[in-house]
């Protein structure tokens, strides 16, 4: 394949992914045919890059996980200590998770929960380090070790995603609520957690800010 052909193929692949994400967020049942039409390519071109819908969704999930990992790191900026780091990281991760929350629901059907957990391992490890620092300093208290508490926090975020998808709370409320819940699960008093999350949301124009 020539360099020009390779560049065109990559551009097509990128366009298909961008359009597929938009279509699936609009219509979670969007077919490969619908995605091809929206992307302005023939069906064969889509299948040339992705053998089936599940492979397409898995690739979108990979992109979402990269975005979540980058958001977690960005959320640590201008935070001081493990409590602020956990809150800021959670708020930043939620902002990305909210954009992809329909995709998360789709991925749970086609990628499997275990597959999603494996992809999120680096993000979970980053939060584990923050939690361990908080346990060591006494700012967090929990009967669970840091790695287990990080798993609990991760499942909380998935539950919040499901709650928003099910209409049980608004996306606007969810970011702050998730961060406060994560902090209180780590032993931070609810009033302190609520005050800190409100401060960080306003300072960083985070979800619900």
């Amino acid at each position: 394949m020539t360099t020009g052909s390779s560049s065109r193929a990559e551009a097509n692949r990128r366009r298909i992914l961008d359009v597929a994400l938009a279509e699936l967020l609009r219509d979670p049942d969007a077919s490969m045919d619908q995605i091809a039409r929206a992307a302005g390519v023939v069906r064969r071109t889509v299948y040339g890059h992705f053998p089936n819908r599940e492979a397409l969704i898995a690739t979108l999930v990979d992109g979402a996980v990269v975005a979540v990992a980058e958001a977690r790191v960005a959320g640590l900026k201008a935070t001081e200590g493990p409590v602020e780091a956990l809150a800021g990281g959670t708020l930043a991760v939620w902002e990305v998770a909210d954009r992809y929350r329909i995709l998360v629901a789709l991925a749970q059907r086609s990628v499997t929960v275990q597959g999603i957990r494996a992809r999120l391992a680096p993000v979970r490890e980053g939060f584990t380090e923050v939690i361990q620092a908080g346990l060591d300093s006494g700012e967090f208290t929990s009967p669970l070790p840091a790695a287990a508490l990080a798993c609990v926090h991760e499942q909380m975020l998935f539950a919040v995603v499901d709650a928003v998808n099910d209409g049980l709370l608004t996306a606007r409320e969810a970011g702050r609520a998730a961060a406060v819940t994560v902090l209180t699960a780590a032993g931070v008093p609810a009033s302190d957690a609520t005050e800190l999350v409100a401060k960080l949301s306003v300072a960083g124009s985070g979800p619900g800010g």
Side-chain angles (χ1 to χ4, degrees), residues 138-163:
E139 293 167 274
F140 295 150
T141 58
S142 173
L144 297 173
L149 187 53
C151 288
V152 170
H153 288 169
E154 183 179 283
Q155 292 306 307
M156 282 182 184
L157 289 176
F158 277 123
V160 172
V161 166
D162 287 341

Side-chain angles (χ1 to χ4, degrees), residues 58-120:
T59 302
L60 289 171
V61 169
D62 288 340
V65 167
V66 169
V68 165
E70 291 174 348
R72 189 196 75 81
V73 172
L76 300 182
K77 293 179 179 176
T79 62
E80 296 181 7
V83 178
E84 281 197 10
L86 184 57
T90 301
L91 285 168
V93 163
W94 173 260
E95 193 167 356
V96 173
D98 183 44
R99 291 205 303 269
Y100 291 104
R101 57 190 167 78
I102 299 299
L103 181 61
V104 169
L106 289 172
Q108 288 175 329
R109 297 182 220 161
S110 57
V111 180
T112 76
V113 171
Q114 193 56 41
I116 296 171
R117 280 183 48 77
R119 287 167 166 82
L120 287 172

Side-chain angles (χ1 to χ4, degrees), residues 191-202:
S191 58
D192 293 349
T194 301
E195 182 180 347
L196 173 61
V197 169
K199 183 186 79 171
L200 292 176
S201 295
V202 172

Side-chain angles (χ1 to χ4, degrees), residues 1 5-17 49:
M1 183 180 288
S5 297
S6 177
S7 297
R8 282 194 299 274
E10 181 55 33
N12 270 341
R13 182 178 184 277
R14 184 69 261 163
R15 173 165 174 72
I16 290 166
L17 286 172
H49 291 285

